[in-house]
Amino acid sequence: MMNKNMLRIIAKHEIKLLLRNKVLVYLFTIIFFMLLSALWIGSSMHKKQLSTIDKVHAYNKEITDSLVTRIKRIEANNMVYPGFIWDDPTFAYNTARNEGPQYAIKEPFPLQAISIGQSDLQPFYYKVYINKKQYLTYDGEIANSFLQFIGNFDFAFVVIYLFPLLIIVFTYNVLSAEKEQGTWVLLKTSNQSLARLIAFRIAIRYILFMLFFWLLVTTVLVALLGGAFLSTVNWWWTVTYVSLYFAFWFGLSLFVNSFSLSSTVNAMTLIFIWLFTGIIVPNILQIGLNKVYPIPSRISMVNEERKALNSYFEKDGQELTKEVFNNPRTMIRQASVVTPGMVYGYGVIVYKSQEIKDAAAEVAERKLYGQIARQQDAIRQLQLLSPALTLQEQLAAFAGTHWHQFNQFSIAVDTFRKETQRFYFPKMASEQTYRTFTVEDAARIPRFKQQVYAGFDWLNVYIPVFAYAGITGLMIVFGYRRLLHVIK
Amino acid sequence: MIAHIVRKELREIFRTSKMTWMMGGLLVLIALSLYNGYSYYVSHSQMLKESQEVTYKQFISQGNKNPHLGAHFGFYAYKPTAGLAMIDNGIEDYTGNSFYLEPHKRGIIKFKEVTDATSLKSFGFLNIAYLIQFIFPLFIFLICHNIFSKEWENGTIKMLLSSRATKRDIYIGKLIACLCVVFAIIAIIAVTAFMLLLKSDADLGAVIYNYLIYVSGLIVFSAILTSVAVSVSLITRSSTLSLVVLSGCWLAGVFLIPRLAAEISKKVHPSITSIEFEADTFNKMQYGVDGEGTKDYRRELLLRRTLQQYHVDSIQQLPVFFIPITIEYFEESDGKVMDRAYGAIEQNQAQQDALVRSLSLFSPFLAFRDFSMHMTATDMDTHNDFAQKAEEHRRRIGVMVDDFYQKNTEATNAFWKTVPQFRYEPPDTFRRLAASIEAIGVLLCWVVGTIVLMIFSYRRMKI
């Protein structure tokens, strides 16, 4: 057994060696600077979302106050509205279009700062109307497609892509450098086990790396986000997964080193494994899954909706339109003055046709989301093929930015929209109710219960941990055994 | 002599088993990329063409309706899949390709495919462009990183320099050998891609020049990378160090600089949020700009003007319907507000893009990506051009419907059929070249920089 003294000597020697390697020191400095930038960028995005949510709340309050004030003024003015009839809030249909729609918000979880995941592509707030799920200016937040295409520079990216390469540079020649520099012969004269020596050198590098990494990351994150996230289970799973990911690369390096090849071949092998598992495997998986579970385009969904609507207007809709449009009370045919009947008529047509559209969309949406969900399930099964993919999936889930969590939010928004429809449709449905929207009604407008959506019960967190811990352990054991052999 | 050196180097390169594995892997990747790109093109172009026809047919056969209600049923303008999208689909999945033509609302392009994709999308989309821009450069570096350094490590440099070959012969010979391998791979890619282009329904006449320019750009791009790799191999004199340096350059150029540039541009030119945009445009439309008054006030003025125009005293006496007149009027005034708002967004995005492009001076990979997207018409400029033409079409339909509505309260299929179908042609080769001038400029700067690096490394070829 190697005694404590010897371990201390090796540790000191390693630290000296690393500090004197200028390439490594520069590389370390650059990558840690990148890490800091990534954390700062992630936290800025998180803060921007929080500030947008504040703006949403302020806007909501302003618009609700304005609605109540206007209704009160009309009621005090014997139900006479001085402006344009389409803006008169005592018409349920008008309120449903104008001030009525409420915002549905997915609150950002603080750990979103470490993995942007799908949060740059999926909206974290919707304005929920009776006739459409969302009404933002764009499909989501206003974003530059070119920049979205380039990708994000977040902690997950730095950890998944950059750190393995740093670890490779850090460890690829632990054994081969000794041979190439001619110090191997000297080492062989030592009375210590050289296999153990090499293994300890890699272990010491791993411990040093971990200590430095987590000290820095935790301190910076606490400074940027406050310390509340430290008490969440998401954080500790994040620490486990990232540490294991690094351990995998250190273990792999030990394994590759144990083949006693030249430094160049070691480096090439490790870079190739990184490229293969980090880029090529996920891409091949993407091709395969798109073949097995092709995701239909939203365009076909729109076509289905329109088809349903057209066939409705060919039959029942024609009757309804005639009834509404030709009705002398609605005076739509007159088309010079907007009458209360006209607002009612439009309201009826809108909600009737919306029911048709929703029914058609539901079928098409089920197809669309069903296929995405199947792909996601398959990814969950196959993620073990790529450590990079595994880590990306888990980090996104712990940060609350996984597709699954956005999907949960989307489902909640759909439910909320139906609730909103149930609130407005009866008030628009008959000539007795369409102009009866009161201050009490304004207070009863359904509000969305905003949530964080950072739970990960749907995710099996143990299998990847055990699988990668097992793979890493096996690589270390086999690598160590090979080292024993190589040294002989 | 140069030919001898080239032959010797090629023999040496192909003799190693790692090269056989690498070339085998690369060929598999090329096949996969071509297949994936071709499938993307076929499925997308067919779907968009069909959808364009389907949505239009739905519109012109919607039956008897109030003209305004019928116009709200609207139809979609779809951006046709670019002929060269099978090579590079650029930002297509990020911009969306559907533009809804509906009254009152300035259309926006919807249905970004990326929002309906899984997290695998963030690893990229394996087609020829991805292979060339992300993976192929690393292969070039792996092939060339030890072309000179091995001579130092094996001690054969002395033998080489003391042979009949001059320094120039050695340098050029080794460079040509590397270029032969790289260009052979490009030839395989270019020929197979061209064959697929022939097989597809893409209009060859319309895309052939763009394709040839694209391939020329690709040759320049790979020549830059090969020359850099050869020079670094000569300067570092250690295979491992040159591999580490080149891999670092690849990582920085392919991932680090573009992503950092994108983040910097977001910070320097922050985008407006959707809620701010909505509140701002709503206020301007409702309360007017530059003191023009509220909507109600402007509607009142319009009524007075219209009554004067028709020399009547009341709305009921008007020979035309007043509602379509108000719709058309506000279509125009709201349109101005929206144009300004969207113009501001486009300007902001153009500033962001320009900043990213300027940082491509540090990354030829980014410059080539930009060039590639422009030549395949899958870039932001083509997207904006499409959006502009679709919006013009929307307004044209709006005017047609409102004019009809002034005299009729019911439209039949006969009227709907008079509404023209939307057709889009992407910008021609000259406009694409003009749009990619910055990227070409950056690539030329890299050519100059590479020549300087080559001269510098050449001078260090001594014992």
Side-chain angles (χ1 to χ4, degrees), chain B residues 273-301:
Chain B
T273 61
S274 218
I275 185 152
E276 286 166 332
F277 180 89
E278 204 178 311
D280 184 50
T281 49
F282 175 79
N283 283 334
K284 281 182 177 147
M285 287 192 286
Q286 206 62 30
Y287 304 110
V289 280
D290 302 329
E292 61 184 353
T294 63
K295 226 168 193 171
D296 284 338
Y297 173 73
R298 281 177 284 155
R299 193 176 291 107
E300 200 52 45
L301 283 184

mmCIF file of all heavy atoms in Angstrom, chain B residues 273-301:
data_model
loop_
_atom_site.group_PDB
_atom_site.id
_atom_site.type_symbol
_atom_site.label_atom_id
_atom_site.label_comp_id
_atom_site.label_asym_id
_atom_site.label_seq_id
_atom_site.Cartn_x
_atom_site.Cartn_y
_atom_site.Cartn_z
ATOM 1 N N THR B 273 -39.282 42.726 -25.818
ATOM 2 C CA THR B 273 -40.068 41.532 -25.475
ATOM 3 C C THR B 273 -41.438 41.617 -26.161
ATOM 4 O O THR B 273 -41.877 42.695 -26.551
ATOM 5 C CB THR B 273 -40.289 41.410 -23.949
ATOM 6 O OG1 THR B 273 -41.012 42.555 -23.540
ATOM 7 C CG2 THR B 273 -38.993 41.318 -23.192
ATOM 8 N N SER B 274 -42.066 40.473 -26.264
ATOM 9 C CA SER B 274 -43.361 40.406 -26.942
ATOM 10 C C SER B 274 -44.392 41.312 -26.260
ATOM 11 O O SER B 274 -45.161 42.000 -26.925
ATOM 12 C CB SER B 274 -43.836 38.959 -26.907
ATOM 13 O OG SER B 274 -44.466 38.641 -28.087
ATOM 14 N N ILE B 275 -44.363 41.307 -24.936
ATOM 15 C CA ILE B 275 -45.366 42.084 -24.204
ATOM 16 C C ILE B 275 -45.151 43.595 -24.401
ATOM 17 O O ILE B 275 -46.103 44.358 -24.558
ATOM 18 C CB ILE B 275 -45.410 41.699 -22.706
ATOM 19 C CG1 ILE B 275 -46.542 42.454 -22.022
ATOM 20 C CG2 ILE B 275 -44.114 41.940 -21.989
ATOM 21 C CD1 ILE B 275 -47.117 41.755 -20.858
ATOM 22 N N GLU B 276 -43.892 44.005 -24.455
ATOM 23 C CA GLU B 276 -43.607 45.434 -24.710
ATOM 24 C C GLU B 276 -44.055 45.812 -26.116
ATOM 25 O O GLU B 276 -44.639 46.870 -26.336
ATOM 26 C CB GLU B 276 -42.103 45.704 -24.573
ATOM 27 C CG GLU B 276 -41.614 45.695 -23.140
ATOM 28 C CD GLU B 276 -40.095 45.617 -23.052
ATOM 29 O OE1 GLU B 276 -39.458 45.068 -23.976
ATOM 30 O OE2 GLU B 276 -39.559 46.082 -22.051
ATOM 31 N N PHE B 277 -43.767 44.910 -27.051
ATOM 32 C CA PHE B 277 -44.132 45.151 -28.442
ATOM 33 C C PHE B 277 -45.641 45.319 -28.557
ATOM 34 O O PHE B 277 -46.139 46.243 -29.198
ATOM 35 C CB PHE B 277 -43.658 43.969 -29.299
ATOM 36 C CG PHE B 277 -43.972 44.094 -30.757
ATOM 37 C CD1 PHE B 277 -43.084 44.716 -31.622
ATOM 38 C CD2 PHE B 277 -45.160 43.593 -31.286
ATOM 39 C CE1 PHE B 277 -43.366 44.830 -32.982
ATOM 40 C CE2 PHE B 277 -45.452 43.706 -32.632
ATOM 41 C CZ PHE B 277 -44.550 44.317 -33.472
ATOM 42 N N GLU B 278 -46.349 44.428 -27.890
ATOM 43 C CA GLU B 278 -47.803 44.437 -27.981
ATOM 44 C C GLU B 278 -48.386 45.702 -27.355
ATOM 45 O O GLU B 278 -49.253 46.347 -27.954
ATOM 46 C CB GLU B 278 -48.337 43.203 -27.266
ATOM 47 C CG GLU B 278 -49.694 42.815 -27.770
ATOM 48 C CD GLU B 278 -50.200 41.563 -27.091
ATOM 49 O OE1 GLU B 278 -49.437 40.592 -27.045
ATOM 50 O OE2 GLU B 278 -51.331 41.593 -26.613
ATOM 51 N N ALA B 279 -47.873 46.045 -26.164
ATOM 52 C CA ALA B 279 -48.390 47.231 -25.473
ATOM 53 C C ALA B 279 -48.104 48.487 -26.304
ATOM 54 O O ALA B 279 -48.977 49.352 -26.465
ATOM 55 C CB ALA B 279 -47.739 47.347 -24.097
ATOM 56 N N ASP B 280 -46.922 48.549 -26.852
ATOM 57 C CA ASP B 280 -46.520 49.733 -27.619
ATOM 58 C C ASP B 280 -47.360 49.878 -28.893
ATOM 59 O O ASP B 280 -47.900 50.960 -29.170
ATOM 60 C CB ASP B 280 -45.024 49.593 -27.963
ATOM 61 C CG ASP B 280 -44.508 50.813 -28.679
ATOM 62 O OD1 ASP B 280 -44.747 51.915 -28.166
ATOM 63 O OD2 ASP B 280 -43.880 50.668 -29.758
ATOM 64 N N THR B 281 -47.489 48.791 -29.651
ATOM 65 C CA THR B 281 -48.241 48.896 -30.913
ATOM 66 C C THR B 281 -49.725 49.140 -30.630
ATOM 67 O O THR B 281 -50.369 49.910 -31.334
ATOM 68 C CB THR B 281 -48.072 47.620 -31.781
ATOM 69 O OG1 THR B 281 -48.317 46.483 -30.965
ATOM 70 C CG2 THR B 281 -46.700 47.525 -32.385
ATOM 71 N N PHE B 282 -50.239 48.511 -29.556
ATOM 72 C CA PHE B 282 -51.650 48.718 -29.211
ATOM 73 C C PHE B 282 -51.903 50.191 -28.895
ATOM 74 O O PHE B 282 -52.847 50.800 -29.394
ATOM 75 C CB PHE B 282 -52.034 47.840 -28.009
ATOM 76 C CG PHE B 282 -53.437 48.077 -27.517
ATOM 77 C CD1 PHE B 282 -54.511 47.520 -28.181
ATOM 78 C CD2 PHE B 282 -53.672 48.888 -26.407
ATOM 79 C CE1 PHE B 282 -55.816 47.756 -27.739
ATOM 80 C CE2 PHE B 282 -54.972 49.133 -25.966
ATOM 81 C CZ PHE B 282 -56.047 48.559 -26.639
ATOM 82 N N ASN B 283 -51.040 50.769 -28.070
ATOM 83 C CA ASN B 283 -51.206 52.175 -27.694
ATOM 84 C C ASN B 283 -51.128 53.095 -28.910
ATOM 85 O O ASN B 283 -51.904 54.027 -29.045
ATOM 86 C CB ASN B 283 -50.133 52.590 -26.680
ATOM 87 C CG ASN B 283 -50.482 52.072 -25.311
ATOM 88 O OD1 ASN B 283 -51.654 51.846 -25.001
ATOM 89 N ND2 ASN B 283 -49.478 51.846 -24.474
ATOM 90 N N LYS B 284 -50.173 52.812 -29.781
ATOM 91 C CA LYS B 284 -50.006 53.682 -30.953
ATOM 92 C C LYS B 284 -51.202 53.560 -31.898
ATOM 93 O O LYS B 284 -51.632 54.548 -32.492
ATOM 94 C CB LYS B 284 -48.714 53.329 -31.694
ATOM 95 C CG LYS B 284 -47.497 53.934 -30.987
ATOM 96 C CD LYS B 284 -46.230 53.660 -31.711
ATOM 97 C CE LYS B 284 -45.093 54.351 -30.977
ATOM 98 N NZ LYS B 284 -43.849 53.600 -31.087
ATOM 99 N N MET B 285 -51.748 52.365 -32.017
ATOM 100 C CA MET B 285 -52.894 52.191 -32.915
ATOM 101 C C MET B 285 -54.148 52.817 -32.292
ATOM 102 O O MET B 285 -54.939 53.436 -32.963
ATOM 103 C CB MET B 285 -53.121 50.702 -33.209
ATOM 104 C CG MET B 285 -52.068 50.133 -34.136
ATOM 105 S SD MET B 285 -52.464 48.515 -34.782
ATOM 106 C CE MET B 285 -52.200 47.466 -33.400
ATOM 107 N N GLN B 286 -54.263 52.648 -30.980
ATOM 108 C CA GLN B 286 -55.464 53.118 -30.297
ATOM 109 C C GLN B 286 -55.454 54.642 -30.127
ATOM 110 O O GLN B 286 -56.449 55.298 -30.368
ATOM 111 C CB GLN B 286 -55.552 52.436 -28.922
ATOM 112 C CG GLN B 286 -56.944 52.316 -28.365
ATOM 113 C CD GLN B 286 -57.875 51.469 -29.230
ATOM 114 O OE1 GLN B 286 -57.441 50.559 -29.917
ATOM 115 N NE2 GLN B 286 -59.152 51.810 -29.235
ATOM 116 N N TYR B 287 -54.316 55.181 -29.710
ATOM 117 C CA TYR B 287 -54.274 56.616 -29.372
ATOM 118 C C TYR B 287 -53.565 57.460 -30.422
ATOM 119 O O TYR B 287 -53.471 58.673 -30.284
ATOM 120 C CB TYR B 287 -53.631 56.798 -27.993
ATOM 121 C CG TYR B 287 -54.352 55.994 -26.927
ATOM 122 C CD1 TYR B 287 -53.765 54.887 -26.335
ATOM 123 C CD2 TYR B 287 -55.660 56.327 -26.556
ATOM 124 C CE1 TYR B 287 -54.446 54.128 -25.396
ATOM 125 C CE2 TYR B 287 -56.352 55.567 -25.621
ATOM 126 C CZ TYR B 287 -55.744 54.468 -25.038
ATOM 127 O OH TYR B 287 -56.428 53.722 -24.127
ATOM 128 N N GLY B 288 -53.066 56.824 -31.466
ATOM 129 C CA GLY B 288 -52.455 57.558 -32.569
ATOM 130 C C GLY B 288 -51.016 57.966 -32.285
ATOM 131 O O GLY B 288 -50.561 57.923 -31.142
ATOM 132 N N VAL B 289 -50.353 58.357 -33.368
ATOM 133 C CA VAL B 289 -48.966 58.836 -33.204
ATOM 134 C C VAL B 289 -48.880 60.285 -33.667
ATOM 135 O O VAL B 289 -49.675 60.726 -34.497
ATOM 136 C CB VAL B 289 -47.954 57.965 -33.998
ATOM 137 C CG1 VAL B 289 -47.618 56.680 -33.278
ATOM 138 C CG2 VAL B 289 -48.448 57.664 -35.396
ATOM 139 N N ASP B 290 -47.936 61.014 -33.124
ATOM 140 C CA ASP B 290 -47.711 62.424 -33.472
ATOM 141 C C ASP B 290 -48.993 63.252 -33.374
ATOM 142 O O ASP B 290 -49.316 64.050 -34.265
ATOM 143 C CB ASP B 290 -47.132 62.545 -34.897
ATOM 144 C CG ASP B 290 -45.821 61.781 -35.034
ATOM 145 O OD1 ASP B 290 -45.101 61.690 -34.023
ATOM 146 O OD2 ASP B 290 -45.546 61.272 -36.126
ATOM 147 N N GLY B 291 -49.749 63.010 -32.310
ATOM 148 C CA GLY B 291 -50.939 63.819 -32.023
ATOM 149 C C GLY B 291 -52.075 63.645 -33.017
ATOM 150 O O GLY B 291 -52.905 64.544 -33.185
ATOM 151 N N GLU B 292 -52.154 62.521 -33.719
ATOM 152 C CA GLU B 292 -53.234 62.359 -34.708
ATOM 153 C C GLU B 292 -54.573 62.000 -34.059
ATOM 154 O O GLU B 292 -55.588 61.934 -34.741
ATOM 155 C CB GLU B 292 -52.849 61.352 -35.791
ATOM 156 C CG GLU B 292 -52.559 59.957 -35.279
ATOM 157 C CD GLU B 292 -52.096 59.001 -36.375
ATOM 158 O OE1 GLU B 292 -52.120 59.348 -37.556
ATOM 159 O OE2 GLU B 292 -51.700 57.885 -36.011
ATOM 160 N N GLY B 293 -54.561 61.753 -32.744
ATOM 161 C CA GLY B 293 -55.823 61.531 -32.035
ATOM 162 C C GLY B 293 -56.193 60.064 -31.886
ATOM 163 O O GLY B 293 -55.602 59.194 -32.530
ATOM 164 N N THR B 294 -57.204 59.856 -31.025
ATOM 165 C CA THR B 294 -57.616 58.469 -30.740
ATOM 166 C C THR B 294 -58.294 57.856 -31.959
ATOM 167 O O THR B 294 -58.649 58.564 -32.914
ATOM 168 C CB THR B 294 -58.613 58.439 -29.577
ATOM 169 O OG1 THR B 294 -59.766 59.167 -30.004
ATOM 170 C CG2 THR B 294 -58.045 59.061 -28.315
ATOM 171 N N LYS B 295 -58.536 56.578 -31.869
ATOM 172 C CA LYS B 295 -59.176 55.859 -32.977
ATOM 173 C C LYS B 295 -60.593 56.426 -33.214
ATOM 174 O O LYS B 295 -61.007 56.627 -34.341
ATOM 175 C CB LYS B 295 -59.239 54.368 -32.647
ATOM 176 C CG LYS B 295 -58.788 53.525 -33.813
ATOM 177 C CD LYS B 295 -58.566 52.092 -33.464
ATOM 178 C CE LYS B 295 -57.817 51.487 -34.642
ATOM 179 N NZ LYS B 295 -57.324 50.175 -34.459
ATOM 180 N N ASP B 296 -61.314 56.693 -32.104
ATOM 181 C CA ASP B 296 -62.676 57.213 -32.230
ATOM 182 C C ASP B 296 -62.673 58.570 -32.935
ATOM 183 O O ASP B 296 -63.508 58.844 -33.798
ATOM 184 C CB ASP B 296 -63.320 57.354 -30.841
ATOM 185 C CG ASP B 296 -63.741 55.998 -30.286
ATOM 186 O OD1 ASP B 296 -63.919 55.080 -31.101
ATOM 187 O OD2 ASP B 296 -63.864 55.861 -29.051
ATOM 188 N N TYR B 297 -61.697 59.398 -32.547
ATOM 189 C CA TYR B 297 -61.599 60.737 -33.141
ATOM 190 C C TYR B 297 -61.304 60.629 -34.637
ATOM 191 O O TYR B 297 -61.931 61.296 -35.467
ATOM 192 C CB TYR B 297 -60.486 61.515 -32.421
ATOM 193 C CG TYR B 297 -60.155 62.850 -33.047
ATOM 194 C CD1 TYR B 297 -61.026 63.947 -32.929
ATOM 195 C CD2 TYR B 297 -58.971 63.019 -33.778
ATOM 196 C CE1 TYR B 297 -60.723 65.166 -33.523
ATOM 197 C CE2 TYR B 297 -58.656 64.232 -34.359
ATOM 198 C CZ TYR B 297 -59.535 65.296 -34.235
ATOM 199 O OH TYR B 297 -59.230 66.499 -34.819
ATOM 200 N N ARG B 298 -60.384 59.738 -34.991
ATOM 201 C CA ARG B 298 -60.010 59.576 -36.401
ATOM 202 C C ARG B 298 -61.168 58.981 -37.209
ATOM 203 O O ARG B 298 -61.375 59.310 -38.367
ATOM 204 C CB ARG B 298 -58.755 58.695 -36.514
ATOM 205 C CG ARG B 298 -57.476 59.467 -36.208
ATOM 206 C CD ARG B 298 -56.266 58.576 -36.249
ATOM 207 N NE ARG B 298 -56.170 57.738 -35.053
ATOM 208 C CZ ARG B 298 -55.548 56.578 -34.998
ATOM 209 N NH1 ARG B 298 -54.971 56.103 -36.079
ATOM 210 N NH2 ARG B 298 -55.485 55.877 -33.875
ATOM 211 N N ARG B 299 -61.941 58.110 -36.555
ATOM 212 C CA ARG B 299 -63.092 57.503 -37.243
ATOM 213 C C ARG B 299 -64.139 58.579 -37.557
ATOM 214 O O ARG B 299 -64.725 58.607 -38.637
ATOM 215 C CB ARG B 299 -63.701 56.418 -36.356
ATOM 216 C CG ARG B 299 -64.688 55.530 -37.091
ATOM 217 C CD ARG B 299 -65.212 54.412 -36.228
ATOM 218 N NE ARG B 299 -64.199 53.426 -35.923
ATOM 219 C CZ ARG B 299 -63.613 53.267 -34.741
ATOM 220 N NH1 ARG B 299 -63.958 54.072 -33.735
ATOM 221 N NH2 ARG B 299 -62.709 52.362 -34.554
ATOM 222 N N GLU B 300 -64.297 59.493 -36.607
ATOM 223 C CA GLU B 300 -65.242 60.583 -36.778
ATOM 224 C C GLU B 300 -64.810 61.475 -37.951
ATOM 225 O O GLU B 300 -65.639 61.863 -38.796
ATOM 226 C CB GLU B 300 -65.290 61.401 -35.465
ATOM 227 C CG GLU B 300 -66.512 62.261 -35.253
ATOM 228 C CD GLU B 300 -67.828 61.503 -35.413
ATOM 229 O OE1 GLU B 300 -67.943 60.383 -34.887
ATOM 230 O OE2 GLU B 300 -68.717 62.040 -36.104
ATOM 231 N N LEU B 301 -63.524 61.796 -38.004
ATOM 232 C CA LEU B 301 -62.991 62.618 -39.101
ATOM 233 C C LEU B 301 -63.206 61.919 -40.444
ATOM 234 O O LEU B 301 -63.573 62.555 -41.438
ATOM 235 C CB LEU B 301 -61.490 62.846 -38.916
ATOM 236 C CG LEU B 301 -61.030 63.866 -37.875
ATOM 237 C CD1 LEU B 301 -59.513 64.008 -37.921
ATOM 238 C CD2 LEU B 301 -61.673 65.236 -38.129
#
